[in-house]
């Protein structure tokens, strides 16, 4: 018997792969419309809009009563218990520069949070999926986070704001972290960063100032793989603060991050993990 979870997953997989192939093929042919949003470095292309249009229409053709929110403006109230969060191209700057680290991110949520998650990276040929309580997968194979337990051997990823002043502050924070970890990466797709923590390619990922569509799918995939996904204080994850890590370094990195933020800003940093009562959100299980 097909369950609601299975129906939502099948729909999300189909639409993510269709949209991914659509934008990947379009990028090879070239871009004709590139504009900016919040700043000169916050880009949007005709394929961001085309991808979102394709996904929204695909959802409505099958589930016309669901709510939908998309990064490029889709906003629709629903009457069912299901809502969709869509990032039609997560990593638009990479897409613009023809770098392969971009993805299509689709999540379906219910009253308890994200229920089904799909992140498809068409240029990399990787499809990450998860259903709440049922583990996470890459191209159908179960994934799990790394076994890294030491900060100084942890590979960390982050992202930066499009607003210059905030970027400068984030740069200071990264500088304060760099000597205490193996190295730092910036791939440019929050959804993929979260998936990479889930499958052990990264040990830690943190970022501020994201949108709900950035973290809904990737966050569930990382959690279902067995990573811990919280805000900087160890409480429930939120777009303003995302910290995903292998369980053995999540707490110690949270403490290091609090210290780095305080040094960078000179202001009161978030309470370190372990001093707030927060113990993370891990759910377990390329």
């Amino acid at each position: 018997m097909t369950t609601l979870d299975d129906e939502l997953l099948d729909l999300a997989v189909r639409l993510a792969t269709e949209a991914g192939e659509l934008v990947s093929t379009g990028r090879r042919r070239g871009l004709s419309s590139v504009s900016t949003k919040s700043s000169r470095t916050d880009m949007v292309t005709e394929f961001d809009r085309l991808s979102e249009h394709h996904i929204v229409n695909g959802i409505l053709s099958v589930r016309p009563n669901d709510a939908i929110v998309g990064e490029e403006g889709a906003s629709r109230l629903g009457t069912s218990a299901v809502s969709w969060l869509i990032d039609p191209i997560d990593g638009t700057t990479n897409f613009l520069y023809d770098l392969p680290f971009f993805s299509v991110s689709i999540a379906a949520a219910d009253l308890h949070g994200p229920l089904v998650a799909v992140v498809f990276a068409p240029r990399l040929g990787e499809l990450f999926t998860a259903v709440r309580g049922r583990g996470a997968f890459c191209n159908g194979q179960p994934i799990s986070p790394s076994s890294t337990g030491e900060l100084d051997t942890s590979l960390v990823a982050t992202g930066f704001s499009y607003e210059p002043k905030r970027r400068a502050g984030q740069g200071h924070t990264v500088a304060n972290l760099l000597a205490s970890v193996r190295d730092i990466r910036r791939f440019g797709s929050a959804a993929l960063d979260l998936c990479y923590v889930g499958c052990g390619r990264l040990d830690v990922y943190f970022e501020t100032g994201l949108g709900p569509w950035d973290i809904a799918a990737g966050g569930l995939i990382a959690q279902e793989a067995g990573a811990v996904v919280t805000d900087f204080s160890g409480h429930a994850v939120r777009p303003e603060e995302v910290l995903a890590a292998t369980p053995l370094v999540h707490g110690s990195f949270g403490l290091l991050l609090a210290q780095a933020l305080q040094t960078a800003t000179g202001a009161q940093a978030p309470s370190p993990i372990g001093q707030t009562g927060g113990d993370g959100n891990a759910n377990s299980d390329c």
Side-chain angles (χ1 to χ4, degrees):
M1 179 178 177
T2 302
T3 65
L4 175 62
D5 297 357
D6 294 324
E7 292 176 3
L8 297 176
L9 180 62
D10 289 347
L11 179 59
V13 166
R14 177 172 65 82
L15 294 176
T17 53
E18 289 175 355
E21 295 301 336
L22 184 70
V23 302
S24 188
T25 299
R27 181 62 188 85
R28 293 189 188 97
R29 294 174 179 169
L31 303 176
S32 61
S33 175
V34 180
S35 56
T36 60
K37 295 190 290 186
S38 63
S39 75
R40 291 183 62 196
T41 56
D42 186 7
M43 312 304 294
V44 62
T45 73
E46 70 264 36
F47 292 106
D48 293 81
R49 300 185 180 98
L50 182 63
S51 175
E52 183 161 297
H53 181 75
H54 180 83
I55 295 166
V56 169
N57 284 350
I59 292 170
L60 293 179
S61 69
V62 178
R63 300 186 56 83
N65 298 318
D66 291 353
I68 301 175
V69 177
E71 183 182 17
E72 304 310 330
S75 180
R76 184 180 185 280
L77 297 176
T79 57
S80 74
V82 174
S83 58
W84 297 82
L85 293 98
I86 302 164
D87 195 336
I89 301 179
D90 187 49
T92 297
T93 300
N94 287 340
F95 179 77
L96 176 64
Y97 280 83
D98 205 20
L99 295 168
F101 294 100
F102 62 88
S103 61
V104 177
S105 175
I106 303 176
D110 61 13
L111 297 177
H112 303 289
L115 174 63
V116 164
V118 174
V119 174
F120 178 50
R123 287 289 187 86
L124 302 173
E126 292 187 325
L127 178 72
F128 292 91
T129 60
V131 175
R132 190 172 63 219
R134 289 167 49 181
F137 303 84
C138 176
N139 291 344
Q141 298 301 309
I143 60 173
S144 59
S146 77
S147 59
T148 299
E150 302 294 333
L151 279 180
D152 60 0
T153 58
S154 294
L155 186 62
V156 178
T158 190
F160 300 109
S161 170
Y162 291 113
E163 200 276 312
K165 186 174 181 179
R166 289 192 68 189
R167 288 171 68 87
Q170 290 166 333
H172 290 306
T173 299
V174 168
N176 292 330
L177 293 170
L178 191 54
S180 300
V181 300
R182 183 188 295 276
D183 209 342
I184 292 181
R185 297 288 184 267
R186 198 278 205 253
F187 290 111
S189 169
L192 286 179
D193 287 331
L194 287 161
C195 291
Y196 288 173
V197 173
C199 71
R201 295 175 188 168
L202 294 170
D203 303 307
V204 180
Y205 162 68
F206 74 97
E207 191 164 353
T208 60
L210 295 170
W213 45 78
D214 290 310
I215 66 169
L220 180 62
I221 290 165
Q223 287 180 342
E224 284 297 318
V228 183
V229 185
T230 68
D231 70 1
F232 291 173
S233 297
H235 297 133
V237 65
R238 50 198 175 93
E240 294 81 8
E241 291 183 0
V242 180
L243 170 56
T246 177
L248 295 178
V249 300
H250 182 270
S252 55
F253 185 84
L255 177 60
L256 178 66
L257 179 58
Q259 296 168 340
L261 286 165
Q262 189 165 20
T263 301
T265 64
Q268 181 63 42
S271 299
I273 293 172
Q275 298 182 19
T276 64
D279 60 356
N281 256 353
N283 290 327
S284 55
D285 266 280
C286 209

